[in-house]
Amino acid sequence: MTYTNFTLETDADGFALLTWDMPGKSMNVFTMEVMDEIDAIVDQVVADAAVKGVVFASGKAAFSGGADLTMLKAMFSMIESERASDPEGATKRLFDAAGRMSWLWRKIETCGKPWVAAINGTCMGGATELAMACHARVASNAKSVKIALPEVKVGIFPGAGGTQRMPRLINTQDALQIMTTGQDLTPSRAKALGLINEVVEPDQLIPAAKALLKAGVDPVAPWDKKGFKAPGGTIWSPQGVQLFSAANAILRRETNMNYPGAHTILKCVYEGLQVPFDTALRIEQRYFTAILQTTEAYSMIRSLFVSMQELGKGARRPANIAPTKFTKVGIIGAGFMGAGIAYVTAKAGIPVVLIDRDQAAADKGKAHSEELVKAAIAKGRSTQEQGAQLLSLITATPDYGQLSDADLVIEAVFEDRGIKKVVTEAVEAVLPAGSIYASNTSTLPISGLAENSKRPDQFVGVHFFSPVDRMGLVEVILGEKTGEKAIAVALDYAAAIKKTPIVVNDTRGFYVNRCVFRYIDEAYDMLAEGIPAIMIENAAKFAGMPVGPLSLNDEVAIDLSYKIMKASINDLGEASVKKHHMALIDKMVNELGRLGRKNQKGFYDYPPKPAKKSLWPGLKDLYPQKKPEDVDFAELKQRLLVTIALEAARTVEEGIVTDPREADVGSILGFGFAPYTGGTLSYIDGMGVKTFVALCETLAGKYGEHFAPTPLLKDMAAKGDTFYKRFDPYAAKKAA
Ligand code: NAD
């Protein structure tokens, strides 16, 4: 028999090598077709007496990325459309679809012949679950091998037997930790845990798997034998009792119960370990069906998997412009940001010219890369040769002449219109015609800066976030005159340095900072109302934000907030900044000298390490304090999320953000907006625009006009619209 995605070759010993190699794809993933073929292959192997055992291998550099999540997205749409006419039937079909992979892996496990998984590279999700259903596992010791069950990161959980096989193969505590965090395991760690039988040199992988078969692999899983005991003991043993109460508490601390997928892992393991294996799989299947129907799973899969991939592949890139192959990128300003941009550019293998006012300043910028390289080598993430190669790509110099053959120049000098003008003119004097000029400004509108340029169509904003080497987002900002080539080059550059881009139109604060300032502003309001600072910070964390607003303000620097407020008042008038916000920040900066982490004094105090930062006690004396029991904590959480989401909705209404995928992905990657919501607009769509509008009206009545719902939101509520329906990112594709 021949298959589209697999080849099957049986050797003289009767061992079949099953090689998975999907045509036209760089990575093997489970699709309906792949699962149909595996189903047929199991039947063929069972029927063929000549086959004594199977080695399941990959023909690609990776083993497999797991399930094709677009398949799940399609499943959601199917259920959605069928639910109205046949709710019971739709749920039953979802239940069957949710269990398809699980029962297929069970078919392999119980087919009567031994299977060995040969893991040659990345092995994720459903692929790890498949490997656990095989009767033994061999992994290559190549650096690229990562084994994980990362489903929790997109709002679901390992629903193809993962929650049942892992705690039967390894210690329950380790299994819970691995599944609830979605962490990567190296082959050696997986072997130490008991998940992998052998780790071998890459070229020994298939021979080692066959040698295992030759030595005799039991085709009956341990849990299908009488008297089986899980390695972590039963849940009623003293360890079991201790483990589950602690695991519940730890998970609560880590997730604040915002992630139903994570919590369900605990339920599956706890309940599944008490029953026979097939019943356990059925329990898992029921929970999986329930989780698939949660708003969190739907929104997280859409934003954190589908949209992120689409944006990463340049969903917004003008198709008619040829891709750019970067031969040289110039960076002007070797300060905090410029130094970081130089590093990520060289790391992508692109030669960089890093320019500052003098050689010493340029060298200081390159020294940042030297430090990062040293740290990467110390952690085993880079070799001496790779580090030396990266550094050799960075030329630090004050000489603008070196830009005469650059494809792209990124300006990251002081946030000062006058200095930026001088730099633009100096660069354009040497930059070849057709090359693109980008500014990393965080506050100055791009259209205004482009007035300093002789070729504003080649001028674009490329806004990075700090620390540049760790933040995954860049905001590409279009000035009024930015042309298609500039957009294409900016997006090609983002792809080259492996960052996810969002494309937004020009406005003060662009998209990300507009949202962030709303978050911080709400905290200023809360402080002024006398809410204890610790409640504000905790409400943010309970709402799913990674950093509280006061802590974030300390990181950004409170004097920067002061400067931005001053600039707003200058440009837009007194009414653009609330008086009590200005009074608070003026006092913090000018009277108390509390500038944030940078001078160890902000809303927090920063004592020398190892002591930890703590909220500044003096905050209590700034405003009369409310008693904690008089504060509605749930409402604090809502206020913080709603004010950000409302600002995101305004940016859509103003035409700043035009694609809901960008608002969502940008909010999660840019400032960690409660990831379980799927991002700012998914948060609104998830609760329903009508509910959101009602919530805004209630909050506006209590806390002020900044919560008033906008005309667009009211109109959407009246029409029963969602952002993804009204601003459908696939509309053009559907129409074509
Ligand atoms: P910085 O002060 O650390 O660095 C600015 C660098 O520019 C300095 O090294 C300075 O010597 C150099 N410079 C000044 N004038 C110059 C000139 N004429 N020619 C060459 N070099 C010159 O500032 P930064 O924090 O890196 O910010 C740089 C830009 O990035 C600003 O526009 C800022 O708004 C933006 N930005 C900053 C952040 C952040 O978190 N700091 C985030 C995003 C964007």
Side-chain angles (χ1 to χ4, degrees):
M1 253 213 271
T2 57
Y3 301 95
T4 306
N5 302 290
F6 295 91
T7 53
L8 193 64
E9 288 170 89
T10 307
D11 66 14
D13 292 324
F15 300 137
L17 177 62
L18 176 62
T19 308
W20 183 14
D21 196 350
M22 295 173 83
K25 290 225 175 206
S26 57
M27 173 80 93
N28 289 326
V29 288
F30 297 110
T31 60
M32 288 298 174
E33 183 189 59
V34 166
M35 289 198 283
D36 288 344
E37 292 197 343
I38 293 176
D39 211 337
I41 289 164
V42 182
D43 291 338
Q44 184 188 339
V45 162
V46 171
D48 188 346
V51 176
K52 304 279 183 273
V54 180
V55 174
F56 197 128
S58 159
K60 308 241 186 253
F63 184 72
S64 162
D68 178 358
L69 290 186
T70 48
M71 185 172 77
L72 281 185
K73 202 178 161 227
M75 212 149 87
F76 289 137
S77 315
M78 172 192 93
I79 300 305
E80 235 13 83
S81 56
E82 289 179 359
R83 205 189 285 279
S85 56
D86 177 16
E88 221 168 279
T91 308
K92 173 75 174 83
R93 278 188 289 282
L94 180 64
F95 179 72
D96 291 342
R100 171 86 207 273
M101 194 186 275
S102 186
W103 294 106
L104 185 54
W105 291 179
R106 184 68 175 145
K107 181 171 170 175
I108 292 175
E109 188 170 64
T110 55
C111 80
K113 293 185 180 178
W115 288 54
V116 178
I119 302 168
N120 61 319
T122 298
C123 178
M124 293 286 137
T128 300
E129 295 180 291
L130 166 84
M132 290 193 290
C134 289
H135 305 91
R137 290 148 292 280
V138 184
S140 135
N141 65 5
K143 260 208 143 78
S144 61
V145 180
K146 287 181 284 184
I147 301 166
L149 291 173
E151 289 86 344
V152 76
K153 294 182 182 169
V154 289
I156 53 175
F157 69 85
T163 65
Q164 300 311 313
R165 288 192 182 88
M166 192 168 264
R168 283 170 171 82
L169 274 170
I170 70 172
N171 191 297
T172 321
Q173 184 176 349
D174 292 321
L176 289 177
Q177 238 165 36
I178 290 166
M179 291 189 283
T180 51
T181 58
Q183 64 189 261
D184 289 343
L185 302 176
T186 59
S188 56
R189 169 109 201 279
K191 176 151 191 289
L193 287 164
L195 204 56
I196 297 287
N197 301 66
E198 273 186 33
V199 178
V200 298
E201 292 296 325
D203 61 350
Q204 289 305 305
L205 189 62
I206 305 299
K210 287 193 173 179
L212 267 184
L213 284 172
K214 211 164 188 172
V217 171
D218 191 341
V220 180
W223 38 91
D224 284 327
K225 291 184 180 165
K226 247 191 143 73
F228 170 75
K229 284 201 173 59
T234 70
I235 63 152
W236 301 112
S237 64
Q239 314 92 288
V241 170
Q242 268 182 10
L243 170 65
F244 278 94
S245 42
N248 245 318
I250 292 169
L251 195 67
R252 217 185 160 89
R253 184 190 66 198
E254 296 300 317
T255 66
N256 293 308
M257 305 310 271
N258 287 323
Y259 295 84
H263 196 63
T264 305
I265 291 170
L266 250 64
K267 295 188 197 173
C268 285
V269 174
Y270 185 81
E271 293 172 32
L273 281 180
Q274 303 183 55
V275 293
F277 197 73
D278 282 326
T279 313
L281 286 184
R282 201 143 283 258
I283 289 174
E284 184 193 73
Q285 185 179 358
R286 285 185 175 203
Y287 276 125
F288 197 51
T289 310
I291 284 296
L292 285 177
Q293 296 176 81
T294 59
T295 308
E296 288 85 350
Y298 181 84
S299 306
M300 284 176 82
I301 288 176
R302 180 171 63 191
S303 294
L304 291 168
F305 185 79
V306 181
S307 301
M308 200 127 109
Q309 256 187 12
E310 288 169 354
L311 297 179
K313 284 184 189 157
R316 294 288 306 281
R317 191 185 181 284
N320 53 335
I321 311 268
T324 322
K325 176 137 185 20
F326 294 94
T327 53
K328 191 192 260 187
V329 169
I331 295 162
I332 322 291
F336 182 63
M337 294 303 285
I341 301 168
Y343 174 77
V344 296
T345 309
K347 191 156 182 257
I350 303 170
V352 175
V353 177
L354 180 59
I355 294 180
D356 210 298
R357 289 175 291 187
D358 52 45
Q359 187 65 46
D363 286 343
K364 194 165 164 237
K366 182 168 175 179
H368 174 66
S369 288
E370 286 158 6
E371 276 162 32
L372 289 176
V373 162
K374 216 193 273 172
I377 294 171
K379 285 186 189 143
R381 294 203 187 120
S382 173
T383 62
Q384 293 284 355
E385 298 73 52
Q386 285 165 336
Q389 163 66 13
L390 188 157
L391 293 174
S392 76
L393 290 173
I394 304 176
T395 307
T397 175
D399 175 17
Y400 281 67
Q402 299 222 21
L403 301 174
S404 62
D405 54 351
D407 314 292
L408 168 69
V409 165
I410 300 167
E411 167 275 304
V413 299
F414 298 139
E415 190 76 334
D416 178 299
R417 282 195 180 91
I419 296 175
K420 289 199 190 287
K421 180 173 192 296
V422 171
V423 168
T424 304
E425 287 165 359
V427 171
E428 287 191 354
V430 286
L431 195 65
S435 292
I436 300 302
Y437 186 100
S439 175
N440 178 46
T441 176
S442 44
T443 53
L444 304 171
I446 292 298
S447 304
L449 291 179
E451 282 169 15
N452 304 322
S453 168
K454 287 203 204 89
R455 39 194 191 187
D457 60 318
Q458 285 160 235
F459 198 109
V460 65
V462 173
H463 183 209
F464 282 85
F465 297 87
S466 85
V468 178
D469 57 311
R470 279 196 265 135
M471 295 294 284
L473 184 74
V474 288
E475 214 172 3
V476 172
I477 298 121
L478 310 184
E480 275 161 22
K481 297 187 178 156
T482 301
E484 292 209 326
K485 165 123 193 244
I487 306 175
V489 171
L491 294 180
D492 289 345
Y493 172 67
I497 59 170
K498 298 196 170 63
K499 305 265 184 218
T500 305
I502 60 170
V503 180
V504 306
N505 288 313
D506 205 9
T507 179
R508 183 178 286 269
F510 315 129
Y511 170 65
V512 169
N513 283 346
R514 270 181 66 161
C515 293
V516 168
F517 290 140
R518 286 288 177 177
Y519 180 51
I520 293 175
D521 278 357
E522 200 56 29
Y524 297 163
D525 276 356
M526 290 174 177
L527 281 177
E529 289 162 26
I531 313 276
I534 187 69
M535 291 189 84
I536 303 173
E537 295 292 87
N538 280 343
K541 285 190 202 133
F542 274 68
M545 299 297 289
V547 185
L550 300 175
S551 177
L552 183 63
N553 202 172
D554 274 2
E555 297 298 328
V556 173
I558 305 177
D559 57 329
L560 183 64
S561 295
Y562 179 76
K563 275 190 209 150
I564 293 171
M565 286 176 176
K566 276 271 179 215
S568 289
I569 290 172
N570 257 346
D571 296 350
L572 307 173
E574 287 285 339
S576 63
V577 174
K578 285 187 185 169
K579 279 209 168 60
H580 64 277
H581 290 186
M582 194 47 166
L584 168 67
I585 297 311
D586 188 22
K587 183 165 188 152
M588 290 291 282
V589 173
N590 299 321
E591 199 177 302
L592 301 164
R594 303 195 71 93
L595 309 183
R597 186 189 276 278
K598 70 190 215 188
N599 75 338
Q600 291 90 48
K601 291 190 301 185
F603 290 110
Y604 285 77
D605 280 326
Y606 298 85
K609 280 184 178 166
K612 284 193 177 152
K613 71 175 186 181
S614 57
L615 275 161
W616 172 49
L619 275 175
K620 284 199 283 294
D621 306 322
L622 294 183
Y623 304 98
Q625 295 289 285
K626 277 200 169 128
K627 285 199 203 122
E629 56 271 33
D630 294 338
V631 177
D632 182 343
F633 190 69
E635 196 180 65
L636 293 186
K637 291 187 339 185
Q638 272 177 339
R639 284 171 67 179
L640 292 168
L641 296 189
V642 168
T643 193
I644 299 173
L646 192 50
E647 187 67 9
R650 286 189 197 101
T651 65
V652 174
E653 190 157 0
E654 292 165 25
I656 304 302
V657 173
T658 54
D659 183 327
R661 292 175 297 183
E662 296 182 310
D664 275 343
V665 171
S667 68
I668 297 177
L669 294 186
F671 53 98
F673 184 83
Y676 64 90
T677 63
T680 44
L681 298 184
S682 285
Y683 171 68
I684 301 177
D685 278 1
M687 74 170 78
V689 179
K690 212 169 160 187
T691 309
F692 184 74
V693 164
L695 183 56
C696 289
E697 275 161 355
T698 307
L699 294 176
K702 288 166 125 176
Y703 302 105
E705 271 307 287
H706 64 288
F707 276 116
T710 66
L712 170 71
L713 283 165
K714 285 188 189 162
D715 186 58
M716 287 173 66
K719 294 188 172 126
D721 259 350
T722 62
F723 279 96
Y724 278 82
K725 204 163 118 198
R726 179 111 164 206
F727 302 93
D728 183 357
Y730 308 105
K733 223 191 224 169
K734 285 179 196 158

